Amino acid sequence: MPSFAYQAPATLDALAGCLRGADAGTFLLGGGTDLIIRLRDRGITRGTLLDLTRVEGLDRVDVADDAITIGANVTYAQVADHPFLQDRLPCLAQMASQVGSAQIRNMARLPGNIANASPGGDAVPALIALDAVVLVLDGSGMTTVRRVDEVVTGIGRTTLRPGEAIIGVRIPRPGPHQRSAFGKIGMGARTRVVIANVSLTLVLEVDPAQGRIRDARVVLGSAAPVAFHARTAEALLEGRRPDPALAGDLAGTLRAEVKASIREIAIFQHKLNDIQGLALDLFAQLFPGAQ
Amino acid sequence: MLLQFTVNGKAREADIEPDARLIDVLRDHLDLTGTKEGCGEGECGACTVIMDGVAVNACLVPGMQARGREVLTVEGLERDGELDPLQKAFIREGAIQCGYCSPGMLMSSKALLMRNLHPSEAEIRLAIAGNLCRCTGYTKIVKAVQAVAQDGGVGRA
Amino acid sequence: MESPAQDLAIVGTSPAIHDAREKATGALRYLNDLKVPGLLHAKLLLSSVPHARVKALDLSRAESLPGVMGIFTPWNTPSRLYNSHKWIEGMQVLKDETLFTDHVRFCGDRIAAVVASTRAIAEAAVRLIQVEYEELPAVVDPRQALEPGSTPLHGGSNHICHRELACGDPDQKMRGACQVAEDTVETPKVHHGAMETHVCVADTDPSGLVTVYTPCQVIFQVQLIVAEVLDLPLNRVRVIKSNIGGSFGGKGQPVLEPVTAFLSRALGRPVKLALDRAETMVATRTRHKTIIRVRTAVDRDGVILARDFHALVDTGAYCTNGEAIAMAMGKKTFKLYRVPDQVYRADVVYTSTPVAGACRGYGSPQIWAASEINIDQAARALGMDPALFRLRNLVHPFDRDPQSGIDLGNARIIDCVTQGCDLIGWAGKWARPRSAGRWAQGVGMAAVAHGNGYQGAYPDFITVDLRLEADGSLVLKGAFHDLGCGTVTTMQQIAGEVLSLDLAKIFIPSADTLVAPFDSAGTQASRVTFVCGGAVKAAAEALRDRLLDCAAEMLEADRSALALEGGRVVPRRAPGRGVTFAECTVYAQTRKHTSLEVSRTYESPGNPTSYGAHFAEVEVDRITGRVRVLDYVAVHDIGQAINPGFVQGQIQGSVQMGMGMALSEELAIDPSGKILNGRLSRYTVANAPEMPPIRVALIEAGEAMGPFGAKSIGEIATVPVAPAIINAINHALGTRITTLPALPERIVAALREV
């Protein structure tokens, strides 16, 4: 029976060395929650398993003045429970707390979602909304910085090449007036442990003087092959004060955005209903006084 | 490949294929069959074990990732012939019917109580949201965890 | 809560299930946990197309894989036709199944099997088999299967049979009625969802004795089918029930056993065939999908004048018990309401979909979904409270079933409904004005009936043996199949009550055809407590007689002066004296040259009806169509709960199952026959956060025909759940949803029609 080679580099240098020798038969192993299933589904019984989880230094959340860097080995559970992220990047912590079950959250990590580029994934839309970049190490030992929305290009497609590994995710430090929220409604009529039928990430600021919204970022997930900015929704929110009318407008605008994306595909039509509900829910969460 | 790790407090080793899953290592190599496979895709939670203090799906953990780590399985809950308070509560409250989900339920509950001695009912349900049961409707399972939580994790005889 | 005066010490208490400790420690071994020396591993090749002839199989690459011990195809295996539903010789069944087939009839049909030294090699080998299909048109919609032009799956037509049951003159009464409520209710194909997937181990000894280890529900059925398919004498096929991780009917028909037994015999080695979840979902059994049209004629006062049912039963690609399900559904319809003029008609069809079989409730969840959704609509059309409407029409204790003439027994459904209404606060909640905002609340209920065994339809008897050992411990042998529901403990409680003996002293071995005396029907039809429990009670009473005789002789006392107490036979007036059971047994063995053992063949004394009423309060999000079940009350007419803890457990678990049928579970098959959600990540069952608080109330008014007055609960518990929830949704929204599951998109679509 054919078999796998297994590599578990302990340092970034060693990882770069492994990446140098990587080819199409090299599978990057993070939390493993996707890889195991994929190998079995496709009957893949040979290749190289390159385990990233032993690389030292990638299991930290670094909060710096300009950015927050989340190492590739930080689990969703750790993101969800992180006090700074809960407080200042709530959409990220909320997203992380809603990924799968506790067991999944204890193993899975952000890079997996990005590299797998599944349209139903939750991390990619939240990261796009936060203008996140990924730190990509290659076999030469060089780390490049790339925007998440440039890395993910289609269903299961990224610009990542064999021999490249995401070693971290970096998010610009939020300003003092930034608020954010993430929500998803699942396929299958259950509320917990669900794959998103549609997800919504809202990131915005409310200017303290006038109480108006600015720098709104609205990203839809699971509504297209790749998560995308709902530009008309962002334009709608800009300069407005949060009030019930705005909530309704947001819901309607997002419905139209999803409609434009899914067109007449029958099995997706319920996303139109879900996004309306989700928009109202998240709006209420961000602006509890504005009912 | 040689896998060396700690299982239920004991140093164990196994010679495994690199793509062996932790569940295969436990069940086939170490004959610890308490951990069950119900779906093979991390949905049912029957394979839940505790690795380095947190609950994980053994059917999704590559065996080599357990190298050097501490794994606790349902067989490790009992200490010196004394059942864990959770096990006693499950038995006492009637939380066990066919028993297939029970090891996973116990491990998820144990992992919860290891971090949170006084979980609310909602927190308990969330902790076992990735453990499916077709027999009990979860009612008596939640009651059993609550009983242990109320006792401060010490439980009754 | 009334109950007849019974002085019970053990029956009515709630000891834990007999093997709770072993399950809690992980020590209990299920079949897939057992290590068997020399075990070989089998993997099935299943069809990836819904309807085709297999023109050729290229086995060359598979065969050459080291470790492959044999590859078995339709062309090198027995092709005897059988029907896995047959459980007793003499049953008339339609035989259309074979071990393997080159005419595949659904995605998941068995084409071949590879046996290898490891599971991994068997799996790899199956992947290497190349199949050449010649595809045929596939009929997926049961309505199409009824049409004369549909491509037949088994020659002839896809219409298997038509059945009718009737009483009075319903057609005439329907014609005369001014108000008729008509609904067509569609129920889904459901996956049983037992947490243990399907598995079987078979071993053959050099003399040819085949031993089949299987998590099953009817050892004698497995024995019958294996012997039939492999042309073996029955007494050379031994079947042993392994520990089982749930079944709910899914492991009731022998699906893997004939295949595994064959493989073992062919290779002369022990062979394990273990299915994963995806294979279990599509290649074993499902619940029958049905489309049921029901019409209920009422008068202005809310009295039901006549009812008319038509059920289209989709049995999937092979018949199995399609006809039995159709009949079972029909018979139930006459047991709930006082309707002297009613007709039930059914048509059973083949479709190119996974095979349907026994599933908890055996047609009752489907037919009662239709009945109870329609009853609500009939009440609504009259502007009547659906609870009051039901109370006006429900049967009374000791009514007779107008179709069969059977005595319904102590039927306490009216008590169930009135108590349940009380508990959930029905009147106020039903009358609550419908909310106009995003979220709407509603209440719904369902009343249902289910049987207790097979009396009147099939032979319903069991023989049990009870033997006292020389140390006073007891062995109770019978074909008891504990599925996790507490059968073993229940039987221990019944025997323990009669004999005044601690449960720990009563050992019940796992069902084994060489250990257990014959049982006519196994674990199905809700007969275990009622019939098997009745047998245990009768046998225990017979043993009690022997003990009294023995002790009377030993103590030189009158039998009537003696009583059984705590494992001893004691004079009532001097309980300190007396003899232990052990002493009696030794006396019998050494002085009377006989053993203290009895064998009793017990026939079911009747078929009373169990009743239940469930009540659900829901909240529906009008925008997303999401449903939250806020509150739930279940009231059951159970006669006497042998173990109230188990009864609660059955009801609580069944709410989870019924919620799935109502809200989220359906094996989705596209028009081409492809299965869209054959894995747990896509087939959604309720998890812990979804569950409402569940209050259980039991009406224990005694049923004379049952042991200590007991009636069944395991199946009926799940029957009212789906319609109670659907009715609550329809009440909340003013909709008329009749297609289950009420997925969010279906709810939103229904709202548009309001």
Side-chain angles (χ1 to χ4, degrees), chain C residues 140-379:
Chain C
V140 173
D141 185 331
R143 283 164 287 222
Q144 276 175 22
L146 260 186
E147 320 243 308
S150 72
T151 311
L153 282 180
H154 293 272
S157 100
N158 290 321
H159 184 199
I160 295 173
C161 65
H162 175 84
R163 292 283 179 269
E164 287 197 19
L165 295 166
C167 62
D169 193 350
D171 294 332
Q172 191 251 323
K173 286 275 163 49
M174 278 285 171
R175 271 194 301 273
C178 55
Q179 295 246 44
V180 177
E182 176 171 334
D183 289 284
T184 297
V185 173
E186 200 166 319
T187 71
K189 205 172 199 36
V190 165
H191 166 56
H192 299 75
M195 294 320 298
E196 181 203 29
T197 54
H198 282 231
V199 57
C200 181
V201 172
D203 198 2
T204 310
D205 83 4
S207 79
L209 170 72
V210 176
T211 304
V212 180
Y213 302 88
T214 168
C216 62
Q217 296 190 206
V218 191
I219 46 171
F220 291 108
Q221 178 173 1
V222 178
Q223 182 193 45
L224 193 67
I225 298 295
V226 169
E228 178 178 319
V229 177
L230 304 186
D231 197 21
L232 294 170
L234 282 163
N235 67 357
R236 308 311 292 285
V237 176
R238 179 180 191 181
V239 179
I240 301 175
K241 175 198 162 284
S242 61
N243 291 316
I244 184 170
S247 176
F248 313 105
K251 296 168 182 154
Q253 291 174 1
V255 177
L256 302 185
E257 293 91 333
V259 174
T260 317
F262 170 78
L263 297 175
S264 172
R265 283 196 81 227
L267 295 168
R269 294 278 296 274
V271 176
K272 173 160 72 175
L273 175 54
L275 301 193
D276 63 24
R277 176 63 57 180
E279 292 166 322
T280 298
M281 286 179 78
V282 305
T284 60
R285 296 289 181 262
T286 73
R287 186 184 285 291
H288 281 75
K289 177 184 169 60
T290 65
I291 300 172
I292 301 172
R293 190 205 65 189
V294 47
R295 301 191 307 152
T296 300
V298 297
D299 69 15
R300 266 175 272 274
D301 298 321
V303 174
I304 299 174
L305 300 172
R307 291 194 99 183
D308 162 345
F309 289 87
H310 178 269
L312 180 56
V313 179
D314 176 352
T315 198
Y318 294 87
C319 181
T320 76
N321 66 347
E323 188 265 346
I325 291 276
M327 288 300 281
M329 294 204 302
K331 292 193 171 178
K332 302 300 188 305
T333 62
F334 298 89
K335 297 183 188 285
L336 185 67
Y337 296 111
R338 285 178 150 179
V339 184
D341 300 275
Q342 178 172 293
V343 62
Y344 167 91
R345 300 180 178 95
D347 290 290
V348 184
V349 294
Y350 286 119
T351 58
S352 269
T353 64
V355 183
C359 183
R360 195 182 200 175
Y362 213 86
S364 279
Q366 298 95 310
I367 196 67
W368 289 121
S371 161
E372 293 307 280
I373 291 172
N374 172 255
I375 285 287
D376 256 40
Q377 298 301 329

Side-chain angles (χ1 to χ4, degrees), chain A residues 70 79 85 89-97 110 126-127 130 171 180:
Chain A
I70 301 172
V79 171
L85 298 177
L89 287 171
C91 68
L92 193 67
Q94 285 164 15
M95 178 278 296
S97 74
L110 292 165
L127 292 173
L130 293 170
I171 298 161
S180 65

Side-chain angles (χ1 to χ4, degrees), chain C residues 726-742:
Chain C
I726 298 293
N727 283 340
I729 295 170
N730 284 336
H731 177 243
L733 304 176
T735 47
R736 195 168 184 148
I737 291 165
T738 56
T739 297
L740 280 65

Side-chain angles (χ1 to χ4, degrees), chain A residues 247-271:
Chain A
D249 290 345
L250 178 63
T253 305
L254 283 172
R255 186 194 166 96
E257 284 266 7
V258 175
K259 180 79 183 174
S261 175
I262 65 173
R263 284 162 291 131
E264 298 309 318
I265 302 171
I267 54 168
F268 293 156
Q269 295 304 305
H270 193 61
K271 294 181 198 273

